[in-house]
Amino acid sequence: MTAPFTYEDDPDLAGWKRWQFRDATRYNAFLEPLQVRVEGEIARVRMSPRHEHSNMRGDVHGGALLGFMDVALFAAARGFGVLSAGGAVTLDLSAQFIGGGAIGIPLEARIELLRETRNMLFLRGLIVQDDRPTIASFTGTLRKSTPPPDRASERV
């Protein structure tokens, strides 16, 4: 079975990985391609906001930022090596919007893994952009998926 995501060296950004969903008809395509780079305890996840990500003020829409935060948690977890593609669900995502993000300038989520347990990942991050104050802060909890039980053992 082919993995639903690619995670390969980005041909356009040396030292970065490209994390992208193989099915371009899914929500992730609205935000992709994403680039990931892990530097010590921080995973840097980038997206390039386009016009379709803008609000009426011409800034990055809050919904696009929330979507980016959510997807960036998974990309960061993949970068940290604690999660394979599609192996978790978001339990919670809390965000604080601090400033507006500009269209056409890469947004970057800088994420740290606070704790990993057998079933959970606890992460926090900041959304930043070159030459701008911090745009948002966020925390999220991911629940790792567990393999389905063997249905054959349930037969009577």
Side-chain angles (χ1 to χ4, degrees):
M1 183 173 119
T2 303
F5 290 88
T6 60
Y7 187 74
E8 303 168 342
D9 291 340
D10 191 310
D12 301 324
L13 277 173
W16 291 75
K17 297 283 191 184
R18 182 174 287 181
W19 191 76
Q20 193 164 2
F21 205 74
R22 291 182 191 275
D23 182 351
T25 66
R26 302 290 182 169
Y27 176 78
N28 289 44
F30 179 66
L31 303 171
E32 293 175 341
L34 298 180
Q35 291 84 27
V36 181
R37 180 179 186 147
V38 176
E39 295 177 344
E41 301 291 314
I42 302 294
R44 297 170 59 192
V45 182
R46 283 189 180 172
M47 75 164 281
S48 295
R50 304 178 299 270
H51 177 75
E52 60 264 29
H53 300 125
S54 67
N55 60 22
M56 295 299 290
R57 294 180 59 184
D59 292 329
V60 179
H61 191 283
L65 287 170
L66 286 167
F68 175 51
M69 291 173 197
D70 182 54
V71 172
L73 292 171
F74 289 83
R78 174 65 176 91
F80 288 134
V82 296
L83 189 65
S84 60
V89 296
T90 305
L91 289 184
D92 68 57
L93 175 64
S94 176
Q96 300 76 44
F97 296 102
I98 301 168
I103 299 298
I105 300 171
L107 282 172
E108 188 170 297
R110 295 185 181 161
I111 300 172
E112 63 182 314
L113 176 62
L114 299 175
R115 184 168 180 209
E116 176 184 15
T117 68
R118 193 176 117 223
N119 296 318
M120 308 282 238
L121 299 171
F122 299 89
L123 304 110
R124 72 175 165 197
L126 295 174
I127 304 289
V128 299
Q129 210 170 30
D130 288 345
D131 300 325
R132 289 185 164 253
T134 300
I135 294 165
S137 65
F138 63 102
T139 60
T141 307
L142 304 181
R143 182 172 186 351
K144 298 177 194 176
S145 297
T146 54
D150 180 6
R151 299 282 177 178
S153 65
E154 296 175 1
R155 292 187 190 139
V156 179

